[in-house]
Amino acid sequence: MGFWNWFSEIFSSSATEESNPSFGASSSAVAVLEPSRRALRFGDPDLENRENPWWAPPEVVDVDPRPIVAPEMSAEALAIENLLVSHFDGHDLTMPPMPRAAERVLARLRDSQSTMAEVARDISEDQVMAAEVLRMSNSVFYRGTEKITSLQSSVTRLGTHALRTLMMHQSLRSAMFPKSGVDRDVAERLWRRSLASGCVMRGLAEFTKLDPDDALLIGLMHDIGNVLVLRITHERQVMQTRLDWGTFEYLCFECHQEFGELIAEAWKLPSELKSLISNHHACPNPEDPLRVQRWMLMLTDMVNQMLGYDVEAQYDLMRSRPVMELGLLGRSDFEDFFGRLPEEIEEMLASLEVRK
């Protein structure tokens, strides 16, 4: 079943509402982000050297995803780890809600009798959402030959499928950036990672015949469990010693699949997407109906590690297990995709950056 058939089922009734300084300090979080941005700036000889491209660094032999190794943790960090694990059953946890505006638009999109004019009118009633629809329609993903300035034209350009993806994009953004209760700089780093994942997955869809908006959605949502890690650790740290960035990243890696499954259940996401959210690090079995999507996610995470959006690691991507399993080894068009990917990600991030 396609990911979008589930909207017809669940929205038919009204829905309810490396040793770094402390990651909680704004200056520290920015310092962690800056090296990645510098590394991705074009004009860097290492990125432009086709004999030694970024996806095949010299003297690198790793071809399988590298798990995050547990750091040496303080007593407080161990206590936070135990607290996170204790919430795996979902008890005493408040799930981030799906925004009502997104639910309303999704319900409108579900109705086969609705027109795009009606969808545009619903979107116009929420200024934040209207601005995001305009931004997305002019983003690297959907832009046409001219910049669009009217909401009606943006809705028409995006179409039903992309609008549904955008509603989930907005829901994830709302969960990542509540009005209070999280460190905004840390949330922005996680948000950039999610957007980069969506961009990589959408690009990979060209080679795997997956619907590009389905791929974008999977990339955006697969690490959504980090939202709960972010919230729980922030609540604990307001009265305790702050975690260093490496420890926080490890806790996200350790817990995000379990927490992601809880959010997927609360948001009534389709079973296929829920399965990918709850298990995307293990190598899939050959008979797994979602094996292609899982290999794509593994490759996406490896790309993010190499480009600085995730915990740093180096691989020989063209000889990596996911590339081989996806049948992309030796394809010149796939190497061309890698060649333009860093610039495309940065362009997309610039067009969809969080406005402070």
Side-chain angles (χ1 to χ4, degrees):
M1 179 179 73
F3 279 160
W4 304 123
N5 292 339
W6 67 284
F7 283 95
S8 298
E9 299 174 3
I10 69 170
F11 286 104
S12 56
S13 59
S14 299
T16 59
E17 218 9 59
E18 311 165 312
S19 174
N20 292 309
S22 161
F23 79 81
S26 296
S27 59
S28 299
V30 172
V32 172
L33 283 170
E34 285 305 315
S36 299
R37 292 171 180 170
R38 286 199 299 269
L40 291 170
R41 184 181 303 143
F42 275 74
D44 185 331
D46 288 338
L47 286 176
E48 296 180 342
N49 185 352
R50 298 292 292 188
E51 295 182 358
N52 204 26
W54 69 265
W55 60 88
E59 301 178 3
V60 173
V61 297
D62 284 350
V63 293
D64 290 320
R66 186 184 303 169
I68 298 179
V69 178
E72 183 176 347
M73 293 196 289
S74 65
E76 175 59 24
L78 289 171
I80 293 177
E81 179 184 32
N82 291 333
L83 175 64
L84 290 168
V85 172
S86 73
H87 284 309
F88 280 178
D89 60 5
H91 290 168
D92 302 321
L93 273 182
T94 300
M95 295 296 118
M98 183 178 286
R100 295 195 177 206
E103 291 179 338
R104 185 173 62 251
V105 174
L106 287 169
R108 177 74 72 179
L109 292 171
R110 170 196 56 80
D111 186 356
S112 60
Q113 302 301 314
S114 294
T115 65
M116 283 301 185
E118 292 171 325
V119 172
R121 186 176 65 243
D122 283 349
I123 293 173
S124 69
E125 295 176 0
D126 186 293
Q127 293 182 349
V128 173
M129 182 174 293
E132 289 305 310
V133 169
L134 284 168
R135 291 174 68 192
M136 181 65 85
S137 67
N138 288 297
S139 74
V140 65
F141 289 149
Y142 302 106
R143 67 183 178 199
T145 57
E146 298 180 357
K147 182 177 180 179
I148 285 179
T149 58
S150 76
L151 186 59
Q152 178 67 62
S153 297
S154 292
V155 167
T156 301
R157 172 180 286 180
L158 291 172
T160 300
H161 214 192
L163 282 169
R164 286 167 172 166
T165 298
L166 179 55
M167 294 306 103
M168 297 307 300
H169 164 277
Q170 282 298 96
S171 298
L172 175 60
R173 182 174 181 235
S174 175
M176 192 76 74
F177 295 94
K179 294 182 179 179
S180 62
V182 299
D183 186 291
R184 188 175 179 87
D185 288 313
V186 179
E188 183 172 359
R189 179 177 176 119
L190 295 177
W191 177 243
R192 285 171 60 86
R193 182 183 302 172
S194 295
L195 291 177
S197 296
C199 185
V200 176
M201 285 288 290
R202 196 175 195 276
L204 290 175
E206 175 185 348
F207 304 96
T208 60
K209 308 304 181 185
L210 191 68
D211 180 90
D213 283 304
D214 278 353
L216 172 59
L217 176 64
I218 293 168
L220 282 172
M221 303 294 290
H222 80 290
D223 283 341
I224 192 174
N226 286 339
V227 167
L228 287 178
V229 179
L230 179 67
R231 293 185 177 200
I232 294 171
T233 54
H234 179 81
E235 291 172 0
R236 180 63 179 252
Q237 288 178 115
V238 293
M239 298 179 292
Q240 304 289 340
T241 303
R242 291 185 177 275
L243 298 174
D244 62 87
W245 180 256
T247 300
F248 175 74
E249 285 277 36
Y250 171 72
L251 293 176
C252 284
F253 179 79
E254 185 182 28
C255 302
H256 74 280
Q257 292 186 127
E258 287 80 5
F259 285 147
E261 183 174 12
L262 293 176
I263 296 176
E265 290 177 352
W267 286 10
K268 299 181 181 178
L269 299 183
S271 59
E272 296 97 330
L273 185 54
K274 177 182 173 182
S275 177
L276 293 170
I277 289 171
S278 62
N279 180 15
H280 53 265
H281 290 302
C283 294
N285 297 320
E287 64 274 13
D288 185 348
L290 297 174
R291 62 178 299 276
V292 171
Q293 291 91 329
R294 295 191 203 280
W295 286 123
M296 290 171 65
L297 282 173
M298 279 193 191
L299 181 56
T300 294
D301 287 343
M302 294 168 77
V303 168
N304 277 345
Q305 287 181 300
M306 293 191 70
L307 293 182
Y309 299 106
D310 206 333
V311 177
E312 183 179 354
Q314 297 293 306
Y315 306 100
D316 186 346
L317 282 184
M318 284 303 295
R319 293 175 176 80
S320 67
R321 177 89 182 272
V323 166
M324 294 179 65
E325 293 288 346
L326 291 170
L328 300 174
L329 180 63
R331 289 184 54 170
S332 60
D333 57 343
F334 188 62
E335 287 203 34
D336 290 341
F337 163 69
F338 273 162
R340 64 179 184 268
L341 184 58
E343 187 174 31
E344 288 183 355
I345 293 175
E346 284 296 289
E347 185 177 1
M348 182 270 295
L349 290 175
S351 67
L352 296 178
E353 65 180 349
V354 176
R355 302 302 172 90
K356 296 186 178 182

